[in-house]
Amino acid sequence: MTRIIFPLLFSVATLLGAPALAAPAAIADDAPDSHTVVRGDTLWGISGKFLKEPWRWPEVWRLNRDQIRNPHLIYPGQIIVLDRSGPYLSIGRRIGDQKLQPQAYHEELKDALASIPMQDIEPFLTKPLVVDEARLADAGTVVATETSRVYMGPGDTIFAKNIKEDQKVWQVLRPAKPLTDPVTKEVLGYEAMYLGAARVTENGTPATLEILSAVEEIGTGDRLLVSDKPEIFSNVPHAPENEVAGRLISIYRGVAETGRNHVVTLNVGAREGIERGHVLALHRNRGSVVYKDDDGNKETYNLPEKRYGLLFVFRVFDRVSYALVMETDGQVSVGDSVRKP
């Protein structure tokens, strides 16, 4: 499959439909005049070479709303040129020292650049992170292990029920915990702990499967869901059109605090208008204090939140979403707020 890119199409694209920001995007202090794309680059990383706020890339590329959701992909070997008068960015090839000539590129789709580091989010793009009761009811179940061992690993054999004959590769998971809204205490879904993958070697009731990979030990009672197909993640970073009032409800693998390049779970999803590629600001909850004056009178003050980082949303469910911590000047904690940047 090939993708044809006409780089200077950006110059005639419609500006974003969201309200304009107060000031143009600021150019990074050490921004180069151009950058040649190499393997390993990301859309966020390239934007950071030119801009102080990489998430404002759509303004500088002059992308319209459709291009943000399904952007023209960028490939190794292309040259990105900065026009400081805007600032604006465009793609082409240089002739001599200064001239820029439009060029059509024919590249394999698999070579396109991702939005953010794929090694940080790849396991989360295809794993069934959030499951509801209906999907769990339709899942396969490990009913026995070979030689009645308690836990199994790669190369071992397991037996499972409710395995469809037309599906060969399955993901093994364990419904780990409910995701609870910190304010309403409502259960938003169940976060599944990904355990590994298994392949059917013999159909039947129960079916026989070989464990292909395992990040945790697999045992009786664990569930199986059909393996999803991987996808190229290329959504452009952009701010939500509407205000967002959400909270960080968990950090993957159950820790209380984390930092940059780690995955967190939010209590807002598609129902609240969240979509892939949204950039959200992290705000630290400073709590409240009680002030006592000289007469013994007490007053309670809620301290203002402090903005301290940015998240990039990469997977969205109905009521929750997953995001990667892109920037932070301190620890990211459960209970912190997320807002429109």
Side-chain angles (χ1 to χ4, degrees):
M1 180 177 181
T2 61
R3 187 71 174 247
I4 301 176
I5 300 180
F6 295 94
L8 296 188
L9 179 62
F10 295 119
S11 64
V12 296
T14 305
L15 289 173
L16 289 174
L21 296 171
I27 300 175
D29 294 336
D30 56 350
D33 293 326
S34 64
H35 171 74
T36 300
V37 180
V38 299
R39 294 187 184 279
D41 277 345
T42 63
L43 304 184
W44 186 284
I46 291 174
S47 300
K49 291 180 180 294
F50 296 102
L51 305 176
K52 291 183 177 179
E53 298 176 290
W55 64 270
R56 294 184 64 177
W57 184 36
E59 300 167 57
V60 180
W61 286 84
R62 293 173 288 184
L63 301 181
N64 63 31
R65 200 172 301 174
D66 290 336
Q67 288 170 316
I68 288 174
R69 290 167 173 79
N70 186 23
H72 292 272
L73 302 178
I74 296 177
Y75 299 88
Q78 292 176 325
I79 297 176
I80 299 177
V81 180
L82 172 64
D83 178 351
R84 297 175 185 270
S85 66
Y88 303 120
L89 292 172
S90 58
I91 306 175
R93 64 182 179 87
R94 287 190 176 280
I95 301 176
D97 293 330
Q98 298 297 329
K99 293 182 179 179
L100 177 68
Q101 177 175 310
Q103 184 175 3
Y105 290 89
H106 302 254
E107 298 285 348
E108 292 296 326
L109 188 60
K110 65 181 180 181
D111 293 329
L113 265 61
S115 302
I116 52 181
M118 288 297 293
Q119 67 269 21
D120 294 327
I121 66 170
E122 190 279 332
F124 301 91
L125 294 178
T126 59
K127 308 302 183 284
L129 297 179
V130 177
V131 291
D132 55 24
E133 295 289 353
R135 195 173 186 192
L136 281 176
D138 194 43
T141 303
V142 178
V143 297
T145 60
E146 193 171 37
T147 66
S148 299
R149 289 168 53 189
V150 177
Y151 291 110
M152 312 295 284
D156 291 334
T157 298
I158 56 175
F159 305 92
K161 66 177 182 177
N162 299 333
I163 300 298
K164 300 175 183 177
E165 294 188 1
D166 58 343
Q167 301 292 340
K168 293 299 182 184
V169 179
W170 294 73
Q171 293 178 340
V172 188
L173 60 92
R174 185 174 299 144
K177 63 177 181 179
L179 294 172
T180 305
D181 189 288
V183 178
T184 66
K185 307 304 179 183
E186 183 182 7
V187 175
L188 306 177
Y190 294 87
E191 187 172 68
M193 179 184 295
Y194 175 77
L195 303 179
R199 179 181 58 220
V200 176
T201 58
E202 184 179 349
N203 291 312
T205 305
T208 305
L209 299 93
E210 177 190 1
I211 298 175
L212 300 176
S213 62
V215 296
E216 299 279 350
E217 293 178 321
I218 296 171
T220 302
D222 289 333
R223 314 304 290 272
L224 297 98
L225 290 175
V226 175
S227 182
D228 296 328
K229 295 180 179 179
E231 56 183 314
I232 293 176
F233 185 80
S234 59
N235 295 65
V236 173
H238 59 290
E241 296 180 12
N242 300 317
E243 295 298 326
V244 175
R247 287 188 181 273
L248 195 158
I249 58 175
S250 73
I251 298 169
Y252 200 67
R253 294 297 181 188
V255 297
E257 295 182 332
T258 191
R260 186 176 180 183
N261 294 336
H262 285 79
V263 172
V264 298
T265 312
L266 312 176
N267 70 335
V268 287
R271 191 175 65 171
E272 290 77 24
I274 300 299
E275 61 184 42
R276 295 193 338 167
H278 270 167
V279 175
L280 301 174
L282 278 164
H283 292 260
R284 181 169 291 113
N285 184 355
R286 289 167 161 167
S288 60
V289 295
V290 176
Y291 171 73
K292 184 177 180 180
D293 62 22
D294 295 337
D295 297 327
N297 299 315
K298 296 181 179 180
E299 294 179 291
T300 301
Y301 295 91
N302 294 320
L303 300 179
E305 295 180 332
K306 175 187 177 181
R307 174 172 167 168
Y308 70 94
L310 290 174
L311 299 173
F312 186 100
V313 177
F314 65 85
R315 194 166 184 192
V316 179
F317 296 88
D318 184 45
R319 308 180 71 183
V320 299
S321 57
Y322 285 79
L324 184 69
V325 180
M326 300 300 298
E327 299 176 8
T328 175
D329 64 4
Q331 288 294 320
V332 179
S333 303
V334 172
D336 287 348
S337 300
V338 292
R339 301 279 186 266
K340 180 178 178 179

